[in-house]
Amino acid sequence: MRGAVVCGLLLVFAGWLAASPLHANVYGGYDPAQHPAERVLEEALTVYWGNVAREQNGVAPLRWNRQLTYASRWFSWDSTENRPSGFCGHQDTLGTWPSDRTRAFGYLGRSGAENAFCGYLAPKDAIDGWMESPGHRANLLDPNSREVGIGYYRRDSDGRGYIAQNFGVDPAFAPVIVANEALTTTSPTVPLYIYQSEEEQSFAGSSPATAMMIGEDICFGDATWQPFASQVSWTLSERPGWKTVYVKTRDRFGRTRVVSDTIYLGASLPLAELERMGPASRSATVTILALDSRGLPYVELSLGWLADDTFDSFTLWWGNGERVNDPDALGGTAYRLFPGDGESFAWVYDTAFYKNVPMVAYVRLKVNDNTSPEEVARFEVSGGGVTYGPLSIRGTDFDAPNVYQEFRLPFVFHDNADDPFLIFKFWRSGTADVYVDAVSIFTAPQPVTTPFVWRVPGGNYRGQGIWARFSDGATTFTEIVELPTTRPALNALPERVTVMASPGQPPRPFRLAVVEKCGPIAWRAEANQSWLQLTAGPTYVDIAFDIAALSPGTHTAVISLIPEDSSTMAAKVPVTLFLVEELFRVYQPVVISAR
């Protein structure tokens, strides 16, 4: 139903605007995280109807985003409460613009395109109105967007309101969207749209996924790898409730990423939970559990940062060289520097990597002859005009011929406007063939602690797989391992127990199913009330009720499934017992149908 519209449709920003480094504290007066549930529902429905419009026009759906939504909410509040009646625009009362606001509220991708309605409309009406305006329609149907935020604000006293819609795309995030971001479904079979990772040539970039696995278990216990596909159908588990679908992708370098989306299976949406379950978000930190350091004191971390011979910036400057297919190389190719015409020299560079952060480069090389005690290769890093190395590598430094081996060189990419390049340089200086595979990049060594909280460089963690090396801080280091970021957990089914009884009719014994997520877990069961008697089995807890000492009324208790490992999440099951004076049986009449 169409509400009171203060103003007509607005002009919009057709392209992306440069983001300003503002702080969210500048945007005071309204906390977008404390938003009325009925407004959240309108926002979620607007996301869905916008995706329906995109589908009808052959465009992929958008993932609902929390940071874009917070920026949109604040602007809608500001446009309603701090502007005279009839305001229509995109500049807020602080003098800032959409890209300023989205950045300030934490969106670190590209943004700036904004649609708005200068008044209140119902979700479907807002989408229909934007689709009737060429500029708004172009924003809504832009295939370059991947995420969207919606901000509804409506003043109860007079019904005046504002709607803002912000679009974004974050190269660090390749979302999955369940059923066009529908809020609920009564059918367990739903369509998934899975975005492909962008091909980025930067050292902190990404590559298109080659494989994926899908599951409702974030540990993917029963999932198997399959070829990547953008559109698939998925059948949800049958039990009603919130369903989270996880997708894990893998690229040609073995780098992984986990994304997810939620939908409610059932007819009755728990509206109070929509804000928590709906939008995608980012994190500046990630907690890493159970570090097996293999006896080494330090850990070095990476989000799959690397430089490869296939990058456009990889250049042979002199000498002999060629790219070769190599199944032992990361990504399946390497660059062969071979003798003749003096030394061979090549480099690969970037300008967008993290600056002023101590890092370690691991160059992965092999030689066809490891017998020479003389130098066969050199490796050097130039970071914003500061040189690290060169690292001189002899033939005998390789443990075996034709086997890749890694060599370590710490560096910092200094912020230098006169020299904005991070360059990895490779020389072949002997008589052996030198194969340059890739350079993987890790943070400087940090002491191992468990759990380990990592503040991610750039502050934009969005489900990327975390690589680690353990080291002594100098010459000894492990190969790359991928770290688990999911805490093992116990789940109980059902999630709560409600029974009714009378003194003459005690409850029947009840069996609680125990589900161990992310590996086998040693656990015990406890109840905080003595009228509950528990017997634990391998995958269940039998509950018996001793009501002899209870008086009629409502009695509550909690059953706790407590893991022996304190880093594992426990499960708590509320139990409610209604004890009444007398229970009566009610029999339904038999219906006989004559044929």
Side-chain angles (χ1 to χ4, degrees):
M1 181 176 180
R2 188 177 294 268
V5 180
V6 176
C7 182
L9 295 171
L10 306 180
L11 296 176
V12 295
F13 295 95
W16 305 112
L17 301 180
S20 300
L22 301 176
H23 193 278
N25 288 342
V26 174
Y27 296 87
Y30 184 74
D31 182 1
Q34 305 300 319
H35 206 54
E38 60 269 27
R39 300 286 89 85
V40 177
L41 176 61
E42 291 168 324
E43 292 165 353
L45 288 170
T46 305
V47 172
Y48 168 70
W49 286 115
N51 281 337
V52 170
R54 287 173 68 94
E55 182 181 49
Q56 292 170 346
N57 288 272
V59 186
L62 302 175
R63 181 75 169 91
W64 189 11
N65 177 271
R66 187 176 305 282
Q67 284 73 41
L68 293 175
T69 291
Y70 282 2
S72 302
R73 287 175 181 173
W74 186 91
F75 179 57
S76 292
W77 166 83
D78 180 63
S79 300
T80 303
E81 299 292 355
N82 297 331
R83 292 286 196 178
S85 178
F87 167 75
C88 278
H90 293 282
Q91 188 178 33
D92 57 51
T93 58
L94 299 176
T96 65
W97 297 92
S99 60
D100 302 316
R101 293 188 292 270
T102 56
R103 184 78 176 184
F105 281 96
Y107 191 75
L108 301 184
R110 301 189 295 270
S111 62
E114 179 179 88
N115 286 347
F117 247 113
C118 311
Y120 173 82
L121 283 91
K124 182 67 164 57
D125 294 331
I127 295 298
D128 289 344
W130 283 327
M131 288 294 290
E132 293 170 3
S133 166
H136 297 79
R137 179 187 177 95
N139 278 348
L140 185 57
L141 300 183
D142 186 354
N144 296 308
S145 299
R146 292 189 173 194
E147 296 182 270
V148 66
I150 303 289
Y152 264 76
Y153 187 83
R154 189 183 190 191
R155 190 162 58 197
D156 293 335
S157 61
D158 59 3
R160 182 185 174 197
Y162 210 88
I163 307 170
Q165 180 185 48
N166 277 277
F167 302 90
V169 57
D170 185 350
F173 186 55
V176 56
I177 294 100
V178 178
N180 279 330
E181 292 283 50
L183 281 62
T184 64
T185 179
T186 56
S187 170
T189 301
V190 292
L192 308 182
Y193 189 92
I194 307 164
Y195 273 94
Q196 178 61 280
S197 299
E198 293 187 3
E199 177 69 66
E200 295 181 284
Q201 296 281 311
S202 70
F203 296 172
S206 59
S207 297
T210 58
M212 66 181 185
M213 57 174 65
I214 305 172
E216 289 180 45
D217 173 8
I218 193 172
C219 303
F220 299 93
D222 297 325
T224 57
W225 288 107
Q226 57 184 289
F228 178 85
S230 291
Q231 299 184 64
V232 297
S233 292
W234 177 256
T235 300
L236 303 168
S237 56
E238 294 182 359
R239 179 180 172 83
W242 285 108
K243 303 295 180 181
T244 301
V245 180
Y246 298 94
V247 176
K248 184 175 186 176
T249 56
R250 183 177 64 194
D251 71 5
R252 68 181 187 272
F253 299 109
R255 298 179 293 189
T256 62
R257 184 190 311 270
V258 176
V259 294
S260 65
D261 195 10
T262 59
I263 193 168
Y264 190 82
L265 177 60
S268 300
L269 176 71
L271 185 56
E273 300 173 7
L274 182 58
E275 172 83 23
R276 177 175 61 89
M277 299 301 295
S281 189
R282 69 161 185 88
S283 176
T285 63
V286 59
T287 300
I288 304 165
L289 305 165
L291 289 177
D292 179 7
S293 65
R294 307 184 188 183
L296 294 169
Y298 297 103
V299 63
E300 304 168 16
L301 301 169
S302 172
L303 295 181
W305 307 319
L306 58 79
D308 189 60
D309 65 278
T310 58
F311 286 10
D312 292 342
S313 66
F314 192 100
T315 304
L316 175 70
W317 284 101
W318 60 74
N320 294 324
E322 62 178 354
R323 181 166 293 112
V324 295
N325 294 324
D326 186 347
D328 295 328
L330 293 176
T333 67
Y335 204 87
R336 173 180 170 242
L337 302 175
F338 55 92
D341 196 26
E343 284 192 338
S344 300
F345 171 63
W347 76 23
V348 60
Y349 70 85
D350 188 19
T351 59
F353 197 65
Y354 305 108
K355 296 181 175 64
N356 301 325
V357 180
M359 297 280 186
V360 181
Y362 288 86
V363 60
R364 193 166 188 260
L365 307 172
K366 73 177 178 180
V367 293
N368 66 341
D369 182 353
N370 71 327
T371 60
S372 174
E374 304 298 327
E375 178 184 277
V376 297
R378 293 195 307 278
F379 175 62
E380 180 180 287
V381 179
S382 177
V386 179
T387 297
Y388 298 88
L391 187 64
S392 179
I393 304 169
R394 301 166 300 176
T396 52
D397 291 331
F398 290 86
D399 295 334
N402 298 313
V403 176
Y404 281 107
Q405 192 164 321
E406 292 176 299
F407 300 89
R408 182 180 189 274
L409 183 60
F411 74 95
V412 175
F413 182 19
H414 298 272
D415 191 0
N416 182 353
D418 294 327
D419 190 344
F421 296 97
L422 173 61
I423 309 174
F424 296 145
K425 302 177 180 179
F426 317 94
W427 285 268
R428 181 210 51 78
S429 53
T431 59
D433 291 356
V434 176
Y435 293 79
V436 180
D437 178 10
V439 180
S440 57
I441 308 168
F442 288 76
T443 59
Q446 304 169 70
V448 171
T449 59
T450 299
F452 187 93
V453 179
W454 182 30
R455 183 163 293 278
V456 177
N460 197 30
Y461 181 72
R462 306 208 66 180
Q464 303 96 318
I466 297 176
W467 284 356
R469 295 182 190 270
F470 299 98
S471 73
D472 64 356
T475 57
T476 301
F477 53 87
T478 67
E479 73 281 3
I480 297 172
V481 295
E482 184 169 326
L483 297 179
T485 59
T486 303
R487 187 188 300 268
L490 292 167
N491 279 12
L493 297 175
E495 297 175 350
R496 62 176 56 245
V497 176
T498 302
V499 295
M500 182 175 287
S502 69
Q505 292 181 277
R508 294 178 179 177
F510 187 88
R511 174 161 287 189
L512 195 69
V514 179
V515 180
E516 300 172 354
K517 299 187 67 175
C518 302
I521 301 169
W523 55 273
R524 68 183 188 279
E526 293 183 358
N528 66 346
Q529 296 293 338
S530 60
W531 50 268
L532 287 178
Q533 299 174 348
L534 309 181
T535 303
T539 60
Y540 62 85
V541 175
D542 284 336
I543 308 170
F545 301 86
D546 182 3
I547 63 173
L550 299 180
S551 58
T554 302
H555 302 269
T556 60
V558 175
I559 297 172
S560 298
L561 306 179
I562 304 171
E564 291 184 2
D565 182 354
S566 60
S567 68
T568 301
M569 295 179 65
K572 295 184 180 297
V573 181
V575 180
T576 302
L577 167 65
F578 297 104
L579 189 59
V580 298
E581 295 285 355
E582 189 174 358
L583 287 175
F584 298 94
R585 288 187 188 275
V586 177
Y587 296 94
Q588 295 287 351
V590 175
V591 177
I592 300 176
S593 176
R595 295 183 181 272

